[in-house]
Amino acid sequence: MKTLHSFALAALSVAILSACNKAPEQKTQSTMNNTQSVTEQTQASAPVAKKIPHEMTIHDDTRIDNYYWMRDDERKDPAVIAHLNAENAYTDQQLAHTKNLQSTLFEELKGRIQKDDDSVPTKSGDYFYSSQTRGDNEYPTYVRSTDAKGSDQTVILDVNKLAEGHDYYSATGLSVSPNGHLLAYGEDTVSRRIYTILVKDLSTGELLKDELEGTSGDVVWANDNKTFYYIKKDLQTLLGYQVYRHTLGSPQSEDVLVYEEANTSYYTGLGKSKDKQEIYIWHGSTSASGVSVLDANNVTAQPKRFIEREENLEYDIAKHGDWYYIVTNLNAVNFQLMKVHKDKAHNKANWQTVIPARDDVKLEGIELFTNHLVYKEREMGQSRLTVRNLTSGDEQALSFNDSSYMVHAYGNNELDNPSLRVYYASMTTPGSSYDIDLNSTAKTLLKQQTVVGDFNADNYASERLFITARDGVKVPVSLVYRKDKFNKDGTNPLLQYAYGSYGATMDPSFSSSRLSLLDRGVVFAIAHIRGSQMLGRPWYEDGKLLNKKNTFNDFVDVTKGLIKQQYGDEKQMFAMGGSAGGLLMGAVANQAPELYRGMVAAVPFVDVVTTMLDASLPLTTNEYGEWGNPNEKMYYDYMLSYSPYDQVRKQAYPNMLVTTGLHDSQVQYFEPAKWVAKLREYKTDNNKLLFKIDMEAGHGGASGRFKSLQDTALNYAFLLDLAGIEK
């Protein structure tokens, strides 16, 4: 998914050039008679970016982008690096008085994390797999054993050792061969989400010579234990579009191309049926999906479409013996469950309804077992799980204590499992893993996230309410606060978060980090705005393409509603969003800056029009179904009317902290860099505008479980300082 874009401010035409982190002397056109280094300048004032007009014309409309020069695909241009370093230095200087608060917050955040921690083992094949974290280690160690108790536990991958000597490290897609002898995984040391696949012999601990570059990191093994499939990426667009078959011991140059996606609006994924007999190539765009099938027992097999792809048709399949179960939007806006015999699967007329479509309930997914079907639905914003006996047809809905919560199935890798594994949390209940007996639905708590310290769930309260937006639509909101710090008299600082794109639903869940805000009297709210699927598929459709402004309006109207109902102090309202939620921050800052004391925009997608017009940028063509294709004038005009970068104007803006990673693969660093520069040029206030760039990280920020907490501490310190909370 795409992420946030950027702010813009520039007041003077100052060229910032650099080599080896030093800036050569250069005079401005009129105001600076004395030269100074970038470092000296940032001690006195905010960095001011030079302006080089760049014309872009389409649909007889010309836009001038004075900061287009900040784009450097190689990330080596001395002037660009110097400017980013100057921004970091300025941010450090402006927040120097919060260093003690940042340190206090970091120690709090870190102190709540159980240093020695084990995940709940999940069974796959003959082994139970889990992860461990120990002491101050930043990364997990992956282990397995032949029983759930871990009596003969062995290490299969220690990511801490692999990460040694790297500023950034990510291991992904761990996949063990069917016989359990080999482990394939992807490795990224840059944070561009381009992975090199490595293969480890689990009996000797040695790496094989096989090394596959330029991949998505995911691997699916064929059943011969020496062949696997992987996805290769376009190194310019970062789109995974080719599926290759690799035979161990052979060079990557001899790998066989099995499938190539010709439509650049589709993503490509890999999977395997639960009975391990079929390999799936998943095809997904913003508005359509499908699957091609390979025989896992035949390494020369060619993929066959389950059915031919159709515009606006979405479906997902799960194999159960000779039958396929299909979650689909066929004649069902909120999806329905159908099934079909394998011999008749390729004709939709043969699909039989199992769970019919309903206008007010969205079917979100299923898990199949030998004798049971578990399905997940969402009604009025709340998800629920139901267990159905496939023989008798009897059903039992699972119940939980909280009135508002998140729950999802995970780790259910085997058809013959006697129980369903789920993860459960609410805004006051730490994440919990349960096994649920498929016959009795009795729940067994396997583990609840430990919050080190004096945490007591009874000290906190969560609420769920609906706030009416300007067009009469009721928007769900989830709130949490500390009871003895909350007055509901309009005196509490309030932080409002939202995402609101791609149909991604942000369920109310627990965060130990968030306690640092709640314990200081801050109310935290999640606005479940249009663009998600909190209220079903129509909720998403009403927040995308030519309806995108509903997303921004909902956020603003929720803020006004929370103030009116006295959940927050009208002078202490704060907003936060990341990636596409960063676009939200930019649009809201343009629309209603007076509502917010401060904002945090993380990796923000803010230069919507320019990015969506450039097919060479990562992920652009995949996003047409979400934002529209601006090569069509209708979409161009609409995007331009809300694009945060294009809509920056002369007005007062809130205090803002903008963050990015130099190597971000989703939202390129130059979007927020340009945005901040333009904001500095136009804003009429004296509020803070700070830009923090992680020169080593990408879209997800710093790697490692503790290092990433420094980013959280910085964000919180920025907000708390504005709220006048010093400790």
Side-chain angles (χ1 to χ4, degrees):
M1 293 184 179
K2 264 197 193 337
T3 59
L4 315 171
H5 278 65
S6 55
F7 266 120
L9 277 176
L12 297 173
S13 299
V14 177
I16 301 179
L17 303 173
S18 172
C20 299
N21 294 323
K22 291 185 179 180
E25 296 181 351
Q26 181 169 339
K27 294 181 180 181
T28 63
Q29 296 177 348
S30 59
T31 61
M32 295 182 71
N33 296 320
N34 297 319
T35 60
Q36 59 185 163
S37 71
V38 170
T39 301
E40 291 169 340
Q41 180 186 352
T42 58
Q43 295 303 311
S45 60
V48 179
K50 64 184 177 182
K51 296 168 67 173
I52 303 176
H54 177 83
E55 288 191 5
M56 296 173 287
T57 301
I58 188 173
H59 305 306
D60 295 322
D61 180 59
T62 297
R63 292 179 300 134
I64 305 296
D65 186 350
N66 289 320
Y67 305 106
Y68 190 88
W69 65 270
M70 291 186 182
R71 174 178 175 176
D72 172 29
D73 291 348
E74 298 297 320
R75 291 158 173 78
K76 296 178 180 178
D77 185 284
V80 172
I81 298 301
H83 179 71
L84 299 181
N85 285 334
E87 289 283 8
N88 276 338
Y90 177 68
T91 296
D92 290 344
Q93 183 238 344
Q94 289 293 301
L95 293 179
H97 66 287
T98 70
K99 286 298 183 182
N100 288 338
L101 178 56
Q102 289 183 50
S103 178
T104 297
L105 288 165
F106 176 75
E107 293 303 323
E108 280 182 18
L109 302 178
K110 185 177 179 181
R112 292 194 191 100
I113 296 175
Q114 187 173 4
K115 290 190 174 183
D116 294 342
D117 198 12
D118 292 24
S119 69
V120 178
T122 57
K123 190 174 188 296
S124 182
D126 296 330
Y127 295 92
F128 290 83
Y129 293 86
S130 61
S131 64
Q132 301 174 339
T133 50
R134 295 289 182 265
D136 290 326
N137 285 348
E138 291 280 359
Y139 301 94
T141 297
Y142 295 97
V143 299
R144 72 178 182 183
S145 61
T146 56
D147 60 49
K149 296 180 180 179
S151 56
D152 57 349
Q153 202 171 79
T154 58
V155 173
I156 61 173
L157 198 70
D158 185 346
V159 183
N160 296 284
K161 291 182 179 179
L162 299 176
E164 289 177 0
H166 297 288
D167 292 317
Y168 177 92
Y169 188 87
S170 174
T172 192
L174 278 67
S175 180
V176 177
S177 60
N179 62 10
H181 296 168
L182 301 169
L183 170 68
Y185 63 95
E187 177 182 79
D188 174 19
T189 59
V190 178
S191 189
R192 287 288 282 173
R193 300 186 183 181
I194 302 173
Y195 295 89
T196 297
I197 293 173
L198 305 170
V199 183
K200 181 178 180 180
D201 186 325
L202 294 178
S203 60
T204 66
E206 299 298 321
L207 289 177
L208 304 187
K209 294 182 179 180
D210 304 74
E211 192 170 308
L212 313 180
E213 298 179 339
T215 82
S216 69
D218 296 318
V219 163
V220 173
W221 290 88
N223 289 341
D224 68 347
N225 297 295
K226 62 180 181 181
T227 305
F228 61 73
Y229 298 83
Y230 67 94
I231 297 171
K232 197 167 185 181
K233 285 192 169 187
D234 182 307
L235 298 184
Q236 174 65 36
T237 66
L238 302 188
L239 176 64
Y241 72 111
Q242 294 176 319
V243 177
Y244 278 89
R245 183 174 64 238
H246 176 74
T247 302
L248 294 177
S250 62
Q252 187 175 9
S253 60
E254 294 181 6
D255 289 353
V256 178
L257 179 64
V258 173
Y259 176 84
E260 182 167 353
E261 181 55 70
N263 188 334
T264 55
S265 68
Y266 275 84
Y267 293 99
T268 302
L270 288 173
K272 199 171 188 179
S273 61
K274 196 177 280 192
D275 67 4
K276 312 300 189 290
Q277 298 306 300
E278 293 181 342
I279 293 170
Y280 300 135
I281 301 174
W282 302 108
H283 319 294
S285 72
T286 308
S287 58
S289 64
V291 61
S292 296
V293 182
L294 284 155
D295 183 348
N297 298 300
N298 179 4
V299 296
T300 64
Q302 294 299 306
K304 296 180 180 179
R305 299 268 199 214
F306 188 76
I307 59 169
E308 288 302 314
R309 291 196 315 217
E310 298 178 23
E311 189 68 24
N312 299 317
L313 175 65
E314 298 178 56
Y315 72 91
D316 189 6
I317 65 172
K319 186 173 180 292
H320 191 273
D322 291 337
W323 291 79
Y324 291 103
Y325 283 74
I326 308 161
V327 177
T328 178
N329 70 343
L330 178 66
N331 303 320
V333 172
N334 267 330
F335 291 76
Q336 64 171 317
L337 180 63
M338 309 185 81
K339 72 174 184 178
V340 65
H341 192 275
K342 65 177 183 179
D343 296 334
K344 300 180 179 180
H346 308 299
N347 184 346
K348 297 196 302 296
N350 297 322
W351 296 5
Q352 307 167 23
T353 296
V354 177
I355 299 176
R358 289 148 295 171
D359 291 338
D360 56 351
V361 180
K362 182 176 183 290
L363 178 65
E364 295 196 324
I366 65 170
E367 280 285 352
L368 279 168
F369 300 89
T370 302
N371 298 312
H372 294 86
L373 162 71
V374 180
Y375 60 95
K376 182 179 180 181
E377 303 170 299
R378 186 181 296 273
E379 183 174 13
M380 288 299 292
Q382 182 57 64
S383 56
R384 63 172 177 256
L385 294 171
T386 301
V387 180
R388 174 183 291 188
N389 187 299
L390 289 173
T391 302
S392 67
D394 294 339
E395 291 191 346
Q396 297 185 72
L398 303 182
S399 61
F400 297 92
N401 293 331
D402 296 292
S403 59
S404 181
Y405 57 84
M406 66 169 294
V407 62
H408 64 259
Y410 80 98
N412 298 285
N413 304 312
E414 309 293 322
L415 281 168
D416 60 356
N417 277 354
S419 59
L420 168 75
R421 175 70 55 79
V422 303
Y423 178 87
Y424 171 86
S426 75
M427 297 186 86
T428 58
T429 303
S432 308
S433 290
Y434 288 93
D435 269 352
I436 299 174
D437 186 284
L438 288 167
N439 290 307
S440 68
T441 67
K443 295 193 290 289
T444 301
L445 177 62
L446 303 174
K447 179 184 177 180
Q448 185 173 87
Q449 174 190 347
T450 299
V451 182
V452 179
D454 60 355
F455 169 75
N456 183 345
D458 293 336
N459 291 334
Y460 306 89
S462 177
E463 294 186 35
R464 184 168 180 263
L465 57 146
F466 288 82
I467 290 178
T468 303
R470 65 194 66 180
D471 59 358
V473 170
K474 294 184 182 299
V475 181
V477 181
S478 298
L479 287 148
V480 65
Y481 49 80
R482 181 167 174 132
K483 294 176 184 177
D484 60 356
K485 299 284 187 178
F486 178 61
N487 302 309
K488 202 180 179 183
D489 59 359
T491 61
N492 284 85
L494 187 147
L495 173 59
Q496 182 177 318
Y497 167 83
Y499 185 73
S501 292
Y502 302 101
T505 300
M506 302 301 166
D507 279 308
S509 60
F510 186 80
S511 166
S512 65
S513 296
R514 191 186 300 145
L515 297 175
S516 289
L517 296 177
L518 306 184
D519 290 347
R520 289 172 170 83
V522 178
V523 177
F524 182 81
I526 304 175
H528 305 291
I529 54 184
R530 279 173 280 189
S532 73
Q533 297 186 78
M534 177 58 80
L535 296 183
R537 188 53 176 257
W539 198 246
Y540 172 37
E541 300 295 338
D542 211 21
K544 64 186 286 196
L545 296 172
L546 299 176
N547 296 319
K548 190 62 203 171
K549 290 181 183 178
N550 286 333
T551 299
F552 317 136
N553 295 343
D554 285 355
F555 191 91
V556 170
D557 294 344
V558 165
T559 302
K560 292 178 178 178
L562 291 173
I563 293 172
K564 184 177 181 180
Q565 296 186 38
Q566 296 191 302
Y567 282 99
D569 182 349
E570 64 179 350
K571 296 180 180 179
Q572 298 279 38
M573 301 296 286
F574 300 92
M576 178 182 287
S579 191
L583 180 151
L584 171 67
M585 293 298 100
V588 167
N590 285 333
Q591 179 186 144
E594 73 283 354
L595 287 178
Y596 304 97
R597 173 78 173 139
M599 281 186 174
V600 175
V603 290
F605 173 42
V606 284
D607 192 12
V608 185
V609 177
T610 302
T611 291
M612 295 305 296
L613 281 169
D614 190 343
S616 71
L617 288 173
L619 310 182
T620 290
T621 56
N622 299 88
E623 309 299 327
Y624 288 159
E626 179 73 19
W627 313 102
N629 182 351
N631 291 292
E632 300 176 33
K633 189 175 188 303
M634 173 176 62
Y635 290 112
Y636 174 83
D637 290 341
Y638 189 77
M639 278 185 200
L640 192 62
S641 71
Y642 70 75
S643 172
Y645 183 60
D646 293 284
Q647 292 302 317
V648 170
R649 55 186 178 271
K650 290 188 180 299
Q651 64 175 7
Y653 281 88
N655 294 282
M656 303 182 80
L657 172 62
V658 183
T659 65
T660 193
L662 180 63
H663 300 284
D664 197 322
S665 59
Q666 311 300 100
V667 178
Q668 307 303 300
Y669 76 89
F670 44 82
E671 289 201 34
K674 290 164 49 178
W675 185 45
V676 169
K678 190 174 180 183
L679 281 170
R680 286 218 175 91
E681 179 182 358
Y682 281 83
K683 77 188 192 85
T684 59
D685 57 85
N686 293 318
N687 291 332
K688 287 184 171 67
L689 175 58
L690 307 178
F691 187 29
K692 185 69 174 178
I693 310 99
D694 190 324
M695 304 299 283
E696 304 295 338
H699 193 62
S703 60
R705 61 172 176 157
F706 296 130
K707 186 178 179 182
S708 61
L709 296 178
Q710 293 173 350
D711 298 333
T712 304
L714 175 71
N715 294 339
Y716 285 4
F718 172 75
L719 297 172
L720 292 171
D721 179 58
L722 292 173
I725 300 172
E726 299 177 356
K727 297 181 179 180

